[in-house]
């Protein structure tokens, strides 16, 4: 991003982290405190928007943000804020975790490169963290889809 820094609301965007059917997630900087955060913007696929409708998607997106804001657990990203950006798209601000599993094990995500094996101890270590977070969600009647 040469020149003017792109913003979502008052948050300066560093880069796009990923896109799913419902939204796009960005790495950003919170103003004033200069904390790195993750921002999920409602950015549905065209098929989803046609099928469900924009108004209903906004309701579901807000419900997702509220649901994710409730838990307080070390294996779950916290949701801190909910706003609309300059194009009136809803977004929520989450705790940012700097690594994904692929980066942590040295995976390069190229078809030509063989996948690295994960040692069983490491797989169990990461798997238990995921299961602890899921257990907390399920104990609190939240289903992760």
């Amino acid at each position: 991003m040469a020149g003017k820094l792109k913003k979502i609301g008052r948050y300066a965007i560093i880069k796009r982290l990923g896109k799913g059917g419902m939204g796009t997630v960005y790495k950003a900087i919170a103003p004033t405190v200069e904390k790195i955060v993750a921002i999920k913007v409602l950015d549905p696929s065209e098929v989803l928007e046609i099928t469900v409708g924009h108004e209903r998607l906004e309701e579901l997106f807000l419900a997702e943000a509220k649901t994710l804001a409730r838990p307080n657990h070390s294996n779950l990203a916290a949701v801190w804020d909910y706003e609309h950006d300059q194009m009136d798209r809803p977004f929520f601000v989450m705790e940012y975790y700097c690594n994904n599993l692929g980066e942590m094990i040295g995976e390069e995500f190229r078809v030509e490169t063989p996948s690295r094996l994960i040692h069983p101890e490491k797989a169990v270590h990461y798997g238990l963290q995921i299961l602890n977070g899921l257990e907390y969600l399920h104990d609190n009647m939240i289903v992760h889809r």
Side-chain angles (χ1 to χ4, degrees):
M1 277 181 254
K4 187 177 178 184
L5 194 60
K6 183 179 177 187
K7 288 188 163 197
I8 294 176
R10 58 196 174 103
Y11 298 88
I13 300 306
I14 297 169
K15 71 177 189 173
R16 187 178 98 156
L17 295 173
K19 171 133 177 66
M22 184 82 153
T24 303
V25 178
Y26 297 91
K27 179 179 179 181
I29 301 174
T32 311
V33 294
E34 298 178 357
K35 185 173 181 87
I36 301 294
V37 297
I39 295 178
K40 184 173 182 179
V41 179
L42 179 61
D43 184 19
S45 67
E46 187 178 349
V47 171
L48 187 61
E49 191 155 13
I50 290 168
T51 305
V52 178
H54 190 77
E55 189 174 304
R56 179 67 179 136
L57 286 175
E58 281 201 32
E59 291 171 5
L60 293 169
F61 193 73
L62 176 58
E64 177 184 351
K66 286 181 177 181
T67 298
L68 293 174
R70 285 195 330 246
N72 183 16
H73 190 274
S74 62
N75 298 117
L76 301 171
V79 171
W80 295 324
D81 199 5
Y82 184 93
E83 295 182 26
H84 284 78
D85 70 6
Q86 297 84 335
M87 296 183 302
D88 202 33
R89 298 177 305 173
F91 69 90
F92 57 87
V93 181
M94 301 177 284
E95 185 174 9
Y96 174 75
Y97 286 97
C98 63
N99 287 325
N100 67 47
L101 183 57
E103 289 173 350
M104 291 163 63
I105 64 170
E107 186 63 62
E108 297 195 17
F109 300 110
R110 285 188 277 162
V111 175
E112 305 84 29
T113 307
S115 297
R116 291 191 53 204
L117 296 176
I118 303 174
H119 293 289
E121 302 81 28
K122 207 177 242 192
V124 168
H125 173 74
Y126 296 134
L128 286 173
Q129 290 179 56
I130 293 166
L131 291 173
N132 283 334
L134 285 172
E135 178 182 43
Y136 181 88
L137 291 174
H138 291 179
D139 287 349
N140 286 278
M141 308 307 284
I142 300 169
V143 177
H144 182 281
R145 298 178 287 150

